[in-house]
CSV table of all heavy atoms in Angstrom, one decimal:
chain,number,residue,atom,x,y,z
A,1,LEU,N,-29.4,-46.2,42.9
A,1,LEU,CA,-28.8,-44.8,42.8
A,1,LEU,C,-29.5,-43.9,43.7
A,1,LEU,O,-28.9,-43.0,44.4
A,1,LEU,CB,-28.9,-44.3,41.4
A,1,LEU,CG,-28.0,-45.1,40.4
A,1,LEU,CD1,-28.3,-44.6,38.9
A,1,LEU,CD2,-26.5,-45.0,40.7
A,2,LEU,N,-30.9,-44.0,43.8
A,2,LEU,CA,-31.7,-43.2,44.7
A,2,LEU,C,-31.7,-43.7,46.1
A,2,LEU,O,-31.5,-42.9,47.0
A,2,LEU,CB,-33.1,-43.1,44.1
A,2,LEU,CG,-33.3,-42.7,42.7
A,2,LEU,CD1,-34.8,-42.7,42.3
A,2,LEU,CD2,-32.7,-41.3,42.4
A,3,LEU,N,-31.9,-45.0,46.2
A,3,LEU,CA,-32.0,-45.6,47.6
A,3,LEU,C,-30.7,-45.4,48.4
A,3,LEU,O,-30.7,-45.0,49.6
A,3,LEU,CB,-32.3,-47.0,47.5
A,3,LEU,CG,-32.8,-47.8,48.7
A,3,LEU,CD1,-34.0,-47.2,49.3
A,3,LEU,CD2,-33.0,-49.3,48.5
A,4,LEU,N,-29.5,-45.6,47.7
A,4,LEU,CA,-28.3,-45.5,48.5
A,4,LEU,C,-27.9,-44.0,48.8
A,4,LEU,O,-27.3,-43.7,49.8
A,4,LEU,CB,-27.1,-46.1,47.6
A,4,LEU,CG,-27.2,-47.6,47.5
A,4,LEU,CD1,-26.1,-48.2,46.6
A,4,LEU,CD2,-27.1,-48.3,48.8
A,5,THR,N,-28.4,-43.1,47.9
A,5,THR,CA,-28.2,-41.7,48.2
A,5,THR,C,-29.0,-41.3,49.5
A,5,THR,O,-28.5,-40.6,50.4
A,5,THR,CB,-28.7,-40.8,47.1
A,5,THR,OG1,-27.9,-41.1,45.9
A,5,THR,CG2,-28.5,-39.3,47.4
A,6,VAL,N,-30.2,-41.8,49.6
A,6,VAL,CA,-31.0,-41.5,50.9
A,6,VAL,C,-30.3,-42.2,52.1
A,6,VAL,O,-30.2,-41.6,53.1
A,6,VAL,CB,-32.4,-42.1,50.7
A,6,VAL,CG1,-33.2,-42.1,52.0
A,6,VAL,CG2,-33.2,-41.3,49.7
A,7,LYS,N,-29.8,-43.4,51.9
A,7,LYS,CA,-29.2,-44.1,53.0
A,7,LYS,C,-27.9,-43.4,53.4
A,7,LYS,O,-27.6,-43.2,54.6
A,7,LYS,CB,-28.8,-45.5,52.5
A,7,LYS,CG,-28.3,-46.5,53.6
A,7,LYS,CD,-28.1,-47.9,53.0
A,7,LYS,CE,-27.7,-48.8,54.1
A,7,LYS,NZ,-27.4,-50.2,53.6
A,8,LEU,N,-27.2,-42.8,52.4
A,8,LEU,CA,-26.0,-42.1,52.7
A,8,LEU,C,-26.3,-40.8,53.5
A,8,LEU,O,-25.6,-40.5,54.5
A,8,LEU,CB,-25.3,-41.7,51.4
A,8,LEU,CG,-23.9,-41.2,51.3
A,8,LEU,CD1,-22.9,-42.2,51.8
A,8,LEU,CD2,-23.5,-40.8,49.9
A,9,PHE,N,-27.4,-40.1,53.1
A,9,PHE,CA,-27.8,-38.9,53.8
A,9,PHE,C,-28.2,-39.2,55.2
A,9,PHE,O,-28.0,-38.4,56.2
A,9,PHE,CB,-28.9,-38.2,53.1
A,9,PHE,CG,-28.5,-37.5,51.8
A,9,PHE,CD1,-29.4,-36.9,50.9
A,9,PHE,CD2,-27.1,-37.4,51.5
A,9,PHE,CE1,-29.0,-36.3,49.8
A,9,PHE,CE2,-26.7,-36.7,50.3
A,9,PHE,CZ,-27.7,-36.2,49.4
A,10,GLN,N,-28.9,-40.3,55.4
A,10,GLN,CA,-29.4,-40.7,56.7
A,10,GLN,C,-28.3,-41.1,57.7
A,10,GLN,O,-28.3,-40.8,58.9
A,10,GLN,CB,-30.5,-41.8,56.6
A,10,GLN,CG,-31.8,-41.4,56.0
A,10,GLN,CD,-32.8,-42.5,55.8
A,10,GLN,OE1,-32.3,-43.7,55.6
A,10,GLN,NE2,-34.1,-42.3,55.8
A,11,SER,N,-27.4,-41.9,57.2
A,11,SER,CA,-26.4,-42.5,58.1
A,11,SER,C,-25.1,-41.7,58.2
A,11,SER,O,-24.3,-42.0,59.1
A,11,SER,CB,-26.0,-43.9,57.6
A,11,SER,OG,-25.6,-43.9,56.2
A,12,HIS,N,-25.0,-40.7,57.4
A,12,HIS,CA,-23.7,-39.9,57.5
A,12,HIS,C,-24.1,-38.4,57.4
A,12,HIS,O,-24.1,-37.8,56.3
A,12,HIS,CB,-22.8,-40.2,56.3
A,12,HIS,CG,-22.2,-41.6,56.5
A,12,HIS,ND1,-21.2,-42.0,57.2
A,12,HIS,CD2,-22.7,-42.8,55.9
A,12,HIS,CE1,-20.9,-43.3,57.2
A,12,HIS,NE2,-21.9,-43.8,56.4
A,13,PRO,N,-24.5,-37.8,58.5
A,13,PRO,CA,-24.9,-36.4,58.5
A,13,PRO,C,-23.9,-35.4,57.9
A,13,PRO,O,-24.3,-34.4,57.3
A,13,PRO,CB,-25.2,-36.1,60.0
A,13,PRO,CG,-25.4,-37.4,60.6
A,13,PRO,CD,-24.6,-38.4,59.8
A,14,GLU,N,-22.6,-35.7,58.1
A,14,GLU,CA,-21.6,-34.9,57.6
A,14,GLU,C,-21.6,-34.8,56.1
A,14,GLU,O,-21.3,-33.8,55.4
A,14,GLU,CB,-20.2,-35.3,58.1
A,14,GLU,CG,-19.6,-36.5,57.6
A,14,GLU,CD,-20.2,-37.8,58.0
A,14,GLU,OE1,-21.1,-37.8,58.9
A,14,GLU,OE2,-19.7,-38.9,57.5
A,15,ILE,N,-21.9,-36.0,55.4
A,15,ILE,CA,-22.0,-36.0,54.0
A,15,ILE,C,-23.2,-35.3,53.5
A,15,ILE,O,-23.1,-34.5,52.5
A,15,ILE,CB,-22.0,-37.5,53.5
A,15,ILE,CG1,-20.6,-38.2,53.7
A,15,ILE,CG2,-22.4,-37.6,52.0
A,15,ILE,CD1,-20.6,-39.7,53.4
A,16,LEU,N,-24.3,-35.4,54.2
A,16,LEU,CA,-25.5,-34.6,53.8
A,16,LEU,C,-25.2,-33.2,53.9
A,16,LEU,O,-25.6,-32.4,53.0
A,16,LEU,CB,-26.7,-35.0,54.8
A,16,LEU,CG,-27.9,-34.1,54.6
A,16,LEU,CD1,-28.5,-34.1,53.2
A,16,LEU,CD2,-29.0,-34.5,55.6
A,17,ASP,N,-24.6,-32.8,55.0
A,17,ASP,CA,-24.2,-31.3,55.2
A,17,ASP,C,-23.4,-30.8,54.1
A,17,ASP,O,-23.6,-29.7,53.6
A,17,ASP,CB,-23.5,-31.2,56.5
A,17,ASP,CG,-23.1,-29.7,56.8
A,17,ASP,OD1,-24.1,-28.9,57.0
A,17,ASP,OD2,-21.9,-29.4,56.9
A,18,LYS,N,-22.4,-31.6,53.6
A,18,LYS,CA,-21.6,-31.2,52.5
A,18,LYS,C,-22.4,-30.9,51.2
A,18,LYS,O,-22.2,-29.9,50.5
A,18,LYS,CB,-20.5,-32.3,52.2
A,18,LYS,CG,-19.6,-32.0,51.0
A,18,LYS,CD,-18.6,-33.1,50.8
A,18,LYS,CE,-19.1,-34.2,50.0
A,18,LYS,NZ,-18.1,-35.2,49.6
A,19,HIS,N,-23.4,-31.8,50.9
A,19,HIS,CA,-24.2,-31.6,49.7
A,19,HIS,C,-25.2,-30.6,49.9
A,19,HIS,O,-25.6,-29.9,48.9
A,19,HIS,CB,-24.8,-33.0,49.3
A,19,HIS,CG,-23.7,-33.9,48.8
A,19,HIS,ND1,-23.1,-33.8,47.6
A,19,HIS,CD2,-23.2,-35.0,49.4
A,19,HIS,CE1,-22.2,-34.8,47.4
A,19,HIS,NE2,-22.2,-35.5,48.5
A,20,GLN,N,-25.7,-30.4,51.1
A,20,GLN,CA,-26.7,-29.3,51.4
A,20,GLN,C,-26.0,-27.9,51.1
A,20,GLN,O,-26.6,-27.0,50.5
A,20,GLN,CB,-27.1,-29.3,52.8
A,20,GLN,CG,-28.2,-30.4,53.1
A,20,GLN,CD,-28.5,-30.5,54.6
A,20,GLN,OE1,-27.7,-30.2,55.4
A,20,GLN,NE2,-29.7,-30.9,54.9
A,21,LYS,N,-24.7,-27.8,51.4
A,21,LYS,CA,-23.9,-26.6,51.2
A,21,LYS,C,-23.6,-26.3,49.8
A,21,LYS,O,-23.3,-25.2,49.4
A,21,LYS,CB,-22.7,-26.6,52.1
A,21,LYS,CG,-23.0,-26.4,53.6
A,21,LYS,CD,-21.7,-26.5,54.4
A,21,LYS,CE,-22.1,-26.3,55.9
A,21,LYS,NZ,-21.0,-26.6,56.8
A,22,ARG,N,-23.6,-27.4,48.9
A,22,ARG,CA,-23.3,-27.2,47.5
A,22,ARG,C,-24.4,-26.3,46.8
A,22,ARG,O,-24.0,-25.6,45.9
A,22,ARG,CB,-23.3,-28.6,46.8
A,22,ARG,CG,-22.1,-29.4,47.0
A,22,ARG,CD,-22.3,-30.8,46.4
A,22,ARG,NE,-22.3,-30.7,44.9
A,22,ARG,CZ,-22.6,-31.7,44.1
A,22,ARG,NH1,-22.9,-32.9,44.6
A,22,ARG,NH2,-22.6,-31.6,42.8
A,23,PHE,N,-25.6,-26.4,47.2
A,23,PHE,CA,-26.7,-25.8,46.5
A,23,PHE,C,-27.5,-24.9,47.4
A,23,PHE,O,-28.0,-25.3,48.5
A,23,PHE,CB,-27.7,-26.8,45.9
A,23,PHE,CG,-26.9,-27.8,45.0
A,23,PHE,CD1,-26.9,-29.2,45.4
A,23,PHE,CD2,-26.3,-27.4,43.8
A,23,PHE,CE1,-26.2,-30.1,44.6
A,23,PHE,CE2,-25.7,-28.4,43.0
A,23,PHE,CZ,-25.6,-29.7,43.4
A,24,SER,N,-27.7,-23.6,47.0
A,24,SER,CA,-28.5,-22.7,47.8
A,24,SER,C,-29.9,-22.5,47.3
A,24,SER,O,-30.8,-22.0,47.9
A,24,SER,CB,-27.8,-21.3,47.8
A,24,SER,OG,-27.8,-20.7,46.5
A,25,HIS,N,-30.1,-23.0,46.0
A,25,HIS,CA,-31.4,-22.9,45.4
A,25,HIS,C,-31.6,-24.2,44.5
A,25,HIS,O,-30.7,-24.6,43.8
A,25,HIS,CB,-31.5,-21.7,44.4
A,25,HIS,CG,-31.5,-20.4,45.2
A,25,HIS,ND1,-30.4,-19.8,45.8
A,25,HIS,CD2,-32.6,-19.6,45.5
A,25,HIS,CE1,-30.8,-18.7,46.4
A,25,HIS,NE2,-32.1,-18.5,46.2
A,26,VAL,N,-32.8,-24.8,44.7
A,26,VAL,CA,-33.1,-26.0,44.0
A,26,VAL,C,-34.4,-25.9,43.3
A,26,VAL,O,-35.4,-25.3,43.8
A,26,VAL,CB,-33.2,-27.2,45.0
A,26,VAL,CG1,-33.6,-28.5,44.3
A,26,VAL,CG2,-31.9,-27.4,45.8
A,27,GLN,N,-34.4,-26.4,42.0
A,27,GLN,CA,-35.6,-26.4,41.2
A,27,GLN,C,-35.9,-27.8,40.7
A,27,GLN,O,-35.0,-28.5,40.4
A,27,GLN,CB,-35.5,-25.5,39.9
A,27,GLN,CG,-35.1,-24.0,40.3
A,27,GLN,CD,-35.1,-23.1,39.0
A,27,GLN,OE1,-35.5,-22.0,39.1
A,27,GLN,NE2,-34.7,-23.7,37.9
A,28,ILE,N,-37.2,-28.2,40.7
A,28,ILE,CA,-37.6,-29.5,40.3
A,28,ILE,C,-38.6,-29.4,39.2
A,28,ILE,O,-39.7,-28.8,39.4
A,28,ILE,CB,-38.1,-30.4,41.4
A,28,ILE,CG1,-37.2,-30.4,42.6
A,28,ILE,CG2,-38.3,-31.8,40.9
A,28,ILE,CD1,-35.9,-31.0,42.5
A,29,ASP,N,-38.4,-30.0,38.0
A,29,ASP,CA,-39.4,-30.0,36.9
A,29,ASP,C,-40.2,-31.2,37.0
A,29,ASP,O,-39.8,-32.2,37.6
A,29,ASP,CB,-38.6,-29.9,35.6
A,29,ASP,CG,-39.5,-29.6,34.4
A,29,ASP,OD1,-40.7,-29.2,34.6
A,29,ASP,OD2,-39.1,-29.9,33.3
A,30,GLU,N,-41.4,-31.2,36.4
A,30,GLU,CA,-42.3,-32.4,36.4
A,30,GLU,C,-42.4,-33.0,37.8
A,30,GLU,O,-42.4,-34.2,38.0
A,30,GLU,CB,-41.7,-33.5,35.4
A,30,GLU,CG,-41.5,-33.1,34.0
A,30,GLU,CD,-42.8,-32.9,33.2
A,30,GLU,OE1,-43.9,-33.0,33.8
A,30,GLU,OE2,-42.7,-32.6,32.0
């Protein structure tokens, strides 16, 4: 689930761009 997401972002810049535009602010707990 994590590894393929990274692979998707690396091999398909247009898909990464789409998900980057989804979120303007990100928070990570722990």
Side-chain angles (χ1 to χ4, degrees):
L1 294 174
L2 306 180
L3 192 62
L4 292 176
T5 300
V6 168
K7 192 173 180 182
L8 196 61
F9 287 173
Q10 286 176 335
S11 56
H12 295 275
E14 74 287 357
I15 290 174
L16 171 59
D17 182 62
K18 178 177 83 170
H19 291 287
Q20 284 173 330
K21 286 174 178 170
R22 282 176 67 188
F23 306 113
S24 64
H25 290 76
V26 176
Q27 300 186 145
I28 311 292
D29 190 15
E30 302 286 7

